[in-house]
Amino acid sequence: MDEWSKSFLESLESLVDIVDEVVVEIADIIEDFAEEWQNTIGAEIDKCLEDIFEPILEIYLEYDEIDITNEPDMGFTYPVDPTPERHPACIGCSHYHGQVYGGNLLVCGMHPYGWDGENCPDWESNPSIYDDFNPF
C-alpha cells in the first residue's frame, strides 16, 4: 500500500509540473499575441482614429480664425431697439434698457419682459432720443 500511495503522489506531482508548464506556455502565447495585436491592429486603430479626427481638428482650428459675422465682437451682450412690432410701448421711454444677456432680453427694470399693452403705466419720455431726430 505504501508503494501505491508513493506512486500516486509522484504522478500527482508530475501532473502539477506539466500543468505549470502548460500554463506558462499559454501565458507566453497570450503575451506574444497581445504584443503582436498591439503592434498591428492597435496601430491600425490609431491610424484610423487619426484619419477621422484630424480633419475635424483642422476645421475647428480654422473656425477660430474666421470671423463669420464680420461684426465687432460684442461678447455676451448686445442692444435691441424697440419696434412697432416688438415692445411698441417702450419706444422713446427713458426706462428702456434693451440689452440681451446670454440670449435673454432685459427690456427694463420695471417690466423685464416688456409691457404687453400699447401704453405702459411707467413710460417716461427720453428726450435724448429725439435730439438728433427731426422728421420735417
Side-chain angles (χ1 to χ4, degrees):
M1 187 86 142
D2 211 16
E3 295 264 336
W4 178 82
S5 64
K6 189 176 187 184
S7 174
F8 177 74
L9 287 176
E10 288 175 2
S11 297
L12 194 58
E13 287 176 3
S14 172
L15 180 64
V16 168
D17 290 340
I18 292 171
V19 170
D20 281 344
E21 289 177 21
V22 169
V23 168
V24 168
E25 288 180 22
I26 291 174
D28 289 342
I29 292 170
I30 291 174
E31 186 177 323
D32 291 342
F33 176 76
E35 188 175 311
E36 183 179 332
W37 187 84
Q38 176 63 31
N39 291 338
T40 57
I41 297 175
E44 288 294 321
I45 291 173
D46 288 345
K47 176 73 171 120
C48 181
L49 290 174
E50 184 179 308
D51 291 345
I52 291 171
F53 289 109
E54 188 173 315
I56 294 171
L57 180 63
E58 288 177 10
I59 291 170
Y60 176 75
L61 293 176
E62 289 174 7
Y63 178 75
D64 276 349
E65 298 172 3
I66 298 173
D67 182 17
I68 296 174
T69 61
N70 292 327
E71 296 176 3
D73 183 21
M74 296 178 159
F76 291 106
T77 64
Y78 56 91
V80 174
D81 292 327
T83 64
E85 295 81 27
R86 186 166 184 182
H87 308 294
C90 302
I91 296 175
C93 181
S94 62
H95 299 295
Y96 183 76
H97 183 66
Q99 290 288 321
V100 175
Y101 298 95
N104 299 310
L105 174 64
L106 175 61
V107 176
C108 74
M110 276 104 20
H111 310 285
Y113 303 106
W115 186 256
D116 290 334
E118 291 183 16
N119 297 317
C120 176
D122 298 304
W123 189 91
E124 289 183 11
S125 176
N126 188 356
S128 64
I129 291 178
Y130 298 110
D131 287 346
D132 297 330
F133 179 71
N134 186 357
F136 301 107

